[in-house]
């Protein structure tokens, strides 16, 4: 989104784009727990259809992680269009945290994701 200011134009991320950036850059965003905490606060501003449309522009694992994390922070009402997108395009199961070990991870069938860490948002 572009805002005009007295000094020029200012580009500002939408809540939905920010959500995808958070799950795409977990390490830079302070880790999975911090991402979940921010998503819990951002969730009320998210538009489910916009999330699904942005999923078309993002790596598939980002959509899987975002949907899973939104459900973990009880924002299930934001996930349905995103879940349909994942069901249509996902060919492989992904890890919640790419660099964490997969041993003992729980499989989430809806998101085709291995929950290889326990998410502990600061709610």
């Amino acid at each position: 989104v572009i805002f005009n200011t007295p000094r020029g134009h200012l580009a500002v991320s939408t809540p939905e784009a920010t959500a995808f950036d958070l799950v795409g850059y977990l390490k830079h965003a302070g880790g999975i727990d911090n991402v979940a905490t921010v998503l819990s606060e951002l969730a009320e501003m998210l538009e489910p259809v916009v999330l699904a449309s942005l999923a078309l522009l993002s790596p598939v694992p980002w959509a899987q992680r975002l949907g899973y994390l939104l459900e973990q922070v009880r924002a299930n009402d934001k996930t349905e269009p995103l879940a349909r997108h994942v069901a249509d395009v996902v060919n492989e199961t992904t890890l919640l945290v790419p660099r964490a070990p997969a041993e003992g991870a729980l499989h989430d069938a809806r998101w085709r994701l291995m929950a290889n860490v326990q998410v502990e948002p600061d709610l």
Side-chain angles (χ1 to χ4, degrees):
V1 178
I2 303 292
F3 287 100
N4 292 319
T5 70
R7 301 212 183 253
H9 303 291
L10 180 64
V12 179
S13 181
T14 64
E16 296 82 10
T18 299
F20 271 98
D21 285 343
L22 288 168
V23 298
Y25 302 100
L26 291 172
K27 182 178 176 185
H28 298 291
I32 193 79
D33 294 337
N34 190 55
V35 167
T37 301
V38 174
L39 286 174
S40 71
E41 296 170 5
L42 192 61
E44 66 188 46
M45 293 181 270
L46 298 175
E47 292 295 331
V49 173
V50 176
L51 282 176
S53 69
L54 286 180
L56 298 170
L57 307 173
S58 302
V60 174
W62 293 14
Q64 291 168 271
R65 291 183 188 114
L66 179 55
Y68 177 82
L69 288 173
L70 285 172
E71 287 185 350
Q72 295 302 300
V73 298
R74 297 178 189 91
N76 300 41
D77 59 322
K78 306 296 183 170
T79 62
E80 197 53 44
L82 190 58
R84 285 193 300 271
H85 168 76
V86 167
D88 289 345
V89 301
V90 171
N91 296 321
E92 297 180 14
T93 300
T94 193
L95 293 173
L96 178 58
V97 178
R99 291 187 174 85
E103 186 177 322
L106 299 174
H107 182 262
D108 186 288
R110 177 176 167 107
W111 299 106
R112 299 206 50 199
L113 179 136
M114 298 299 290
N116 58 334
V117 298
Q118 185 168 345
V119 179
E120 297 179 11
D122 188 18
L123 300 176

